[in-house]
Amino acid sequence: MHELAVAERLVALVAEEATRAACVKVETVFLHLGVLSHVEPSSLELAFLAASQGTIAAGASLRVERTVAQAHCLSCEAKITVTQRGAPCPHCGAFELVVVGGDELRLVRLEVW
Amino acid sequence: MCAICGCGEPGSANQHHPKDHPHVDEGEHEHVLADGTVLRHHHHDPVSHDPPMIRRMIEVERDLLAGNDAQAAVNRRRFLAAQTLVLNLMSSPGSGKTTLLEQTLLRLAGRWPVAVIEGDQQTSLDAERIRRAGAPAVQVNTGKACHLDAQMIERALVELALPMDGLLLIENVGNLVCPAGFDLGEHKRVVIASVTEGEDKPLKYPDMFARADLVVVSKIDLLPYLDFDCERFVRYARRIHPGVAVLALSARTGEGLPLWLSWLDSQRASLG
């Protein structure tokens, strides 16, 4: 359950930004999670609920946007969008894909009071 | 009291509503902010309130693992300055990581200085095994955490001297999922899978294999008793990570160990 470690870092970042902006409550936390990142959104949500207790982020809801990965097929040279590891190229069926991105874990925006 | 007109303050003379600041009924009033926003609300009790709260958006753009990545970069610079090759060894529990390390230490004895960081949820059993094999070792107990992170490595290096011009082996927590996401500052990531785990592990745990620099197939002395298909395993590993280097060995019989040791040599030479 490494999502707890990620959630603890998320809470620390949210608290830092909320304090800097002198707000009293965090309503919504907007995140970008790459489809190939090692974080499961529902586990992160649960971990965030636990990790945010007693902090300014307590009670905030998470709004997660999944971001995709791009890949280059070494077999047919196609540029494709990848949503999971180990899937073949949709054009030629080969597995020789060089994947770029898709692993981001980013806090993008806060809705605050 | 109302921050704008002071109405509602006990004893205040201003209990009436000025024309530019209408209070429609008991305590209800509005504030017009500098940006034109109108906030309309009322007080049930004639008490003071803080400046009005406004819902707003803050653009942030921060990487959740930036703290770990920054520490990993510090670790990496330190390793390079000491000319220490650092490997992060990851696998499921029971793949034979510690046995491979023991055999590696025996074969490198007198050639390179080697030190080991052992990560486990609890106990110092592995660090004791490594010390018996003749190398300095420090045990990191992660408690409830399922992986090592860059800060844990920094703390471990308070107790453990970096082997200058040598090799630091970090045995991560036995787990094919969680350690994959945390950079420790290592030069290379080695994923070990034993033949008893089956050929499908790369497909089942793709995040781990996608980030490996070398995949080691261990316990090949057991192949006669199993249906493990090495070629299929390699095909699956390369489906996840095209072209990844794979080598097979048995730490128990020593088969394949020369290949592993020459891979270590080549990595150490490439440190420059």
Side-chain angles (χ1 to χ4, degrees):
Chain A
M1 179 70 174
H2 56 285
E3 278 84 357
L4 187 56
V6 176
E8 282 167 354
R9 287 166 201 263
L10 173 60
V11 169
L13 284 184
V14 169
E16 195 184 313
E17 293 291 340
T19 307
R20 191 201 313 239
C23 41
V24 293
K25 183 180 172 9
V26 180
E27 185 82 21
T28 318
V29 175
F30 294 85
L31 299 169
H32 282 179
L33 298 187
V35 289
L36 304 184
S37 73
H38 63 295
V39 166
E40 185 55 38
S42 60
S43 301
L44 182 64
E45 228 161 279
L46 198 63
F48 180 78
L49 197 66
S52 63
Q53 292 301 309
T55 75
I56 194 170
S61 56
L62 296 189
R63 196 78 58 80
V64 173
E65 186 181 323
R66 304 310 304 267
T67 53
V68 297
Q70 304 297 321
H72 169 224
C73 177
L74 295 177
S75 178
C76 75
E77 301 287 331
K79 301 269 186 223
I80 58 169
T81 298
V82 175
T83 53
Q84 71 173 85
R85 292 194 198 276
C89 170
H91 300 290
C92 71
F95 288 98
E96 285 80 45
L97 302 178
V98 179
V99 179
V100 181
D103 55 357
E104 66 173 340
L105 298 173
R106 192 185 302 275
L107 168 63
V108 289
R109 197 177 306 119
L110 295 175
E111 183 184 31
V112 298
W113 286 96
Chain B
M1 71 173 187
C2 168
I4 289 184
C5 68
C7 64
E9 185 179 33
S12 163
N14 186 3
Q15 295 294 336
H16 298 284
H17 315 141
K19 286 194 180 91
D20 63 338
H21 185 71
H23 290 205
V24 175
D25 60 19
E26 189 62 33
E28 180 165 345
H29 56 281
E30 63 184 39
H31 300 279
V32 181
L33 303 176
D35 65 356
T37 309
V38 177
L39 294 176
R40 187 166 189 83
H41 65 175
H42 68 276
H43 300 290
H44 295 289
D45 301 307
V47 293
S48 63
H49 67 66
D50 292 325
M53 298 208 304
I54 317 159
R55 195 205 302 247
R56 60 202 157 105
M57 288 287 187
I58 312 175
E59 298 298 322
V60 178
E61 290 293 337
R62 295 185 68 176
D63 191 322
L64 297 192
L65 292 185
N68 186 73
D69 292 347
Q71 181 62 54
V74 169
N75 293 351
R76 191 167 279 121
R77 278 196 295 277
R78 191 170 162 193
F79 299 150
L80 198 59
Q83 285 289 293
T84 306
L85 173 67
V86 181
L87 304 181
N88 180 3
L89 296 121
M90 294 175 282
S91 78
S92 50
S95 67
K97 287 190 295 298
T98 313
T99 307
L100 175 60
L101 293 191
E102 286 172 321
Q103 293 304 316
T104 305
L105 293 172
L106 288 176
R107 285 165 173 78
L108 290 180
R111 286 185 59 207
W112 306 349
V114 186
V116 177
I117 295 175
E118 284 286 347
D120 276 306
Q121 201 177 15
Q122 57 184 45
T123 81
S124 56
L125 296 172
D126 280 358
E128 288 157 19
R129 276 176 68 183
I130 295 299
R131 284 186 209 114
R132 279 198 295 275
V138 63
Q139 183 81 43
V140 176
N141 283 143
T142 57
K144 296 302 165 206
C146 44
H147 57 273
L148 293 174
D149 65 29
Q151 281 82 2
M152 294 179 193
I153 300 305
E154 189 201 26
R155 285 197 294 274
L157 291 174
V158 173
E159 293 174 50
L160 186 75
L162 263 187
M164 305 278 283
D165 294 309
L167 175 66
L168 174 64
L169 297 162
I170 302 173
E171 183 178 336
N172 217 312
V173 179
N175 180 334
L176 274 181
V177 182
C178 308
F182 297 86
D183 185 3
L184 307 180
E186 73 276 348
H187 297 109
K188 298 289 171 184
R189 297 169 160 227
V190 179
V191 176
I192 300 162
S194 59
V195 293
T196 51
E197 296 170 50
E199 306 95 346
D200 53 6
K201 285 295 170 290
L203 299 183
K204 288 180 172 173
Y205 299 95
D207 289 355
M208 181 58 78
F209 288 86
R211 293 173 168 91
D213 295 297
L214 173 71
V215 175
V216 172
V217 181
S218 64
K219 305 190 186 181
I220 57 169
D221 53 302
L222 297 178
L223 280 175
Y225 312 102
L226 302 166
D227 295 325
F228 185 86
D229 181 339
C230 265
E231 278 176 26
R232 182 181 293 165
F233 177 89
V234 173
R235 200 161 64 242
Y236 287 165
R238 291 187 175 150
R239 187 178 283 191
I240 300 300
H241 186 160
V244 68
V246 183
L247 61 85
L249 55 78
S250 163
R252 194 159 153 265
T253 64
E255 186 182 356
L257 278 182
L259 281 174
W260 160 245
L261 295 170
S262 63
W263 184 83
L264 289 177
D265 267 327
S266 66
Q267 295 308 312
R268 192 156 167 269
S270 70
L271 267 189

